[in-house]
Coordinates of all heavy atoms in Angstrom, one line a residue:
L274 N 139.3 -5.3 -85.1 CA 138.2 -5.2 -84.1 C 138.7 -4.9 -82.7 O 139.7 -5.5 -82.3 CB 137.5 -6.6 -84.0 CG 136.9 -7.1 -85.4 CD1 136.3 -8.4 -85.1 CD2 135.9 -6.0 -85.8
C275 N 138.1 -4.0 -82.1 CA 138.6 -3.6 -80.8 C 138.0 -4.3 -79.7 O 137.0 -4.1 -79.1 CB 138.3 -2.0 -80.6 SG 138.9 -1.4 -79.0
T276 N 138.6 -5.5 -79.4 CA 138.1 -6.3 -78.3 C 139.3 -6.7 -77.4 O 139.2 -7.7 -76.7 CB 137.6 -7.7 -78.9 OG1 138.5 -8.3 -79.8 CG2 136.4 -7.4 -79.8
A277 N 140.3 -5.9 -77.5 CA 141.6 -6.2 -76.7 C 141.5 -5.8 -75.3 O 140.8 -4.8 -75.0 CB 142.8 -5.6 -77.4
Q278 N 142.3 -6.3 -74.4 CA 142.4 -5.8 -73.1 C 143.7 -5.0 -72.9 O 144.0 -4.5 -71.8 CB 142.4 -7.0 -72.1 CG 141.0 -7.8 -72.1 CD 140.9 -8.9 -71.2 OE1 141.9 -9.3 -70.7 NE2 139.8 -9.5 -71.1
E279 N 144.5 -5.2 -73.9 CA 145.8 -4.4 -73.9 C 146.1 -4.0 -75.2 O 145.6 -4.7 -76.2 CB 146.9 -5.1 -73.1 CG 147.3 -6.4 -73.8 CD 148.4 -7.2 -73.0 OE1 148.0 -7.7 -71.9 OE2 149.5 -7.3 -73.5
P280 N 147.0 -3.0 -75.6 CA 147.2 -2.6 -76.9 C 147.9 -3.6 -77.8 O 148.8 -4.4 -77.3 CB 147.9 -1.3 -76.8 CG 148.7 -1.5 -75.5 CD 147.7 -2.2 -74.6
I281 N 147.6 -3.6 -79.1 CA 148.4 -4.2 -80.1 C 149.4 -3.2 -80.4 O 149.1 -2.1 -80.8 CB 147.6 -4.6 -81.3 CG1 146.4 -5.6 -80.9 CG2 148.4 -5.2 -82.4 CD1 145.4 -5.9 -82.0
R282 N 150.7 -3.6 -80.3 CA 151.8 -2.6 -80.4 C 152.0 -2.1 -81.7 O 152.4 -0.9 -82.0 CB 153.0 -3.1 -79.7 CG 152.7 -3.3 -78.2 CD 154.0 -3.6 -77.4 NE 153.7 -3.7 -76.0 CZ 153.4 -4.9 -75.4 NH1 153.3 -5.9 -76.1 NH2 153.1 -4.9 -74.1
F283 N 152.1 -3.0 -82.7 CA 152.3 -2.6 -84.1 C 151.8 -3.7 -85.1 O 151.6 -4.8 -84.7 CB 153.7 -2.3 -84.4 CG 154.7 -3.3 -83.8 CD1 154.9 -4.6 -84.2 CD2 155.5 -3.0 -82.6 CE1 155.8 -5.4 -83.7 CE2 156.4 -3.9 -82.1 CZ 156.5 -5.1 -82.6
C284 N 151.6 -3.2 -86.3 CA 151.2 -4.2 -87.3 C 151.9 -4.0 -88.6 O 152.5 -3.1 -88.8 CB 149.6 -4.1 -87.6 SG 149.2 -2.4 -88.1
Q285 N 151.7 -5.0 -89.5 CA 152.5 -5.0 -90.7 C 151.7 -5.7 -91.9 O 151.0 -6.7 -91.5 CB 153.8 -5.8 -90.6 CG 154.7 -5.9 -91.9 CD 155.7 -6.9 -91.6 OE1 155.8 -7.7 -90.7 NE2 156.7 -6.9 -92.5
I286 N 151.8 -5.2 -93.1 CA 151.2 -5.9 -94.2 C 152.3 -6.8 -94.8 O 153.4 -6.2 -95.2 CB 150.6 -5.0 -95.2 CG1 149.6 -4.1 -94.6 CG2 150.0 -5.7 -96.5 CD1 148.4 -4.9 -94.0
K287 N 152.1 -8.1 -95.0 CA 153.1 -8.9 -95.7 C 153.3 -8.5 -97.2 O 152.3 -8.3 -97.8 CB 152.7 -10.4 -95.6 CG 152.9 -10.9 -94.3 CD 152.7 -12.4 -94.3 CE 153.9 -13.1 -94.9 NZ 153.8 -14.6 -94.8
K288 N 154.5 -8.3 -97.6 CA 154.7 -7.7 -98.9 C 154.6 -8.8 -100.0 O 154.3 -8.6 -101.1 CB 156.1 -7.1 -99.0 CG 156.3 -6.0 -98.0 CD 155.3 -4.9 -98.1 CE 155.6 -3.8 -97.0 NZ 154.6 -2.7 -97.0
D289 N 154.8 -10.1 -99.6 CA 154.8 -11.1 -100.6 C 153.6 -11.9 -100.7 O 153.4 -13.0 -101.4 CB 156.0 -12.1 -100.3 CG 155.8 -12.8 -98.9 OD1 155.0 -12.2 -98.1 OD2 156.5 -13.8 -98.6
A290 N 152.5 -11.5 -100.0 CA 151.2 -12.2 -100.0 C 150.4 -12.0 -101.4 O 150.6 -10.8 -101.9 CB 150.5 -11.8 -98.8
P291 N 149.6 -12.9 -101.8 CA 148.8 -12.7 -102.9 C 147.7 -11.6 -102.7 O 147.1 -11.3 -103.6 CB 148.3 -14.0 -103.3 CG 148.3 -14.8 -101.9 CD 149.5 -14.2 -101.2
A292 N 147.4 -11.4 -101.4 CA 146.4 -10.4 -101.1 C 146.8 -9.8 -99.7 O 147.7 -10.3 -99.1 CB 145.0 -11.0 -101.0
A293 N 146.1 -8.7 -99.2 CA 146.4 -8.1 -98.0 C 146.3 -9.1 -96.9 O 145.3 -9.7 -96.6 CB 145.6 -6.9 -97.8
I294 N 147.4 -9.3 -96.1 CA 147.4 -10.2 -94.9 C 148.0 -9.5 -93.8 O 149.0 -8.8 -93.9 CB 148.1 -11.4 -95.2 CG1 147.5 -12.3 -96.3 CG2 148.2 -12.4 -94.0 CD1 148.4 -13.4 -96.9
V295 N 147.3 -9.5 -92.6 CA 147.9 -8.8 -91.5 C 148.8 -9.8 -90.7 O 148.4 -10.8 -90.4 CB 146.8 -8.4 -90.5 CG1 147.3 -7.8 -89.3 CG2 145.9 -7.3 -91.2
T296 N 150.1 -9.4 -90.4 CA 150.9 -10.1 -89.5 C 151.0 -9.2 -88.3 O 151.6 -8.2 -88.3 CB 152.3 -10.3 -90.2 OG1 152.1 -10.9 -91.4 CG2 153.2 -11.0 -89.3
V297 N 150.5 -9.8 -87.2 CA 150.5 -9.1 -85.9 C 151.7 -9.5 -85.1 O 151.9 -10.7 -84.9 CB 149.3 -9.3 -85.1 CG1 149.3 -8.6 -83.8 CG2 148.0 -8.9 -85.9
Q298 N 152.6 -8.6 -84.7 CA 153.8 -8.9 -83.9 C 153.6 -8.1 -82.6 O 153.5 -6.9 -82.7 CB 155.0 -8.5 -84.6 CG 155.2 -9.3 -85.9 CD 156.5 -8.9 -86.6 OE1 157.1 -7.9 -86.2 NE2 156.8 -9.6 -87.7
G299 N 153.6 -8.8 -81.5 CA 153.3 -8.0 -80.2 C 152.3 -8.7 -79.5 O 152.0 -9.9 -79.6
S300 N 151.5 -8.0 -78.7 CA 150.5 -8.5 -77.9 C 149.2 -8.6 -78.5 O 148.4 -7.6 -78.4 CB 150.4 -7.6 -76.6 OG 149.5 -8.2 -75.7
C301 N 148.9 -9.7 -79.2 CA 147.6 -9.7 -80.0 C 146.5 -10.3 -79.1 O 146.3 -11.5 -79.0 CB 147.8 -10.7 -81.1 SG 146.4 -10.9 -82.1
M302 N 145.8 -9.4 -78.4 CA 144.7 -9.8 -77.5 C 143.4 -9.6 -78.1 O 142.4 -9.9 -77.5 CB 144.9 -9.1 -76.2 CG 146.2 -9.3 -75.4 SD 146.3 -11.1 -74.9 CE 145.0 -11.1 -73.7
G303 N 143.3 -9.1 -79.3 CA 142.0 -8.9 -79.9 C 141.8 -9.8 -81.1 O 142.4 -10.9 -81.2
A304 N 140.9 -9.5 -82.0 CA 140.6 -10.4 -83.1 C 140.6 -9.5 -84.4 O 140.1 -8.4 -84.4 CB 139.2 -11.1 -82.9
A305 N 141.1 -10.1 -85.4 CA 141.0 -9.4 -86.7 C 140.5 -10.3 -87.7 O 141.0 -11.4 -87.9 CB 142.5 -9.0 -87.1
R306 N 139.6 -9.9 -88.6 CA 139.0 -10.6 -89.6 C 139.1 -9.9 -91.0 O 138.6 -8.8 -91.0 CB 137.6 -11.0 -89.4 CG 137.4 -11.9 -88.2 CD 135.9 -12.3 -88.1 NE 135.7 -13.1 -86.9 CZ 134.6 -13.7 -86.6 NH1 133.5 -13.4 -87.3 NH2 134.5 -14.4 -85.5

């Protein structure tokens, strides 16, 4: 969801998760559902 005031720099999908899960590393100023 684009509600950030500054960019989310990068994202990653966890490889060991039972389903797709977003791991945000960096400036997480927005919201993801």
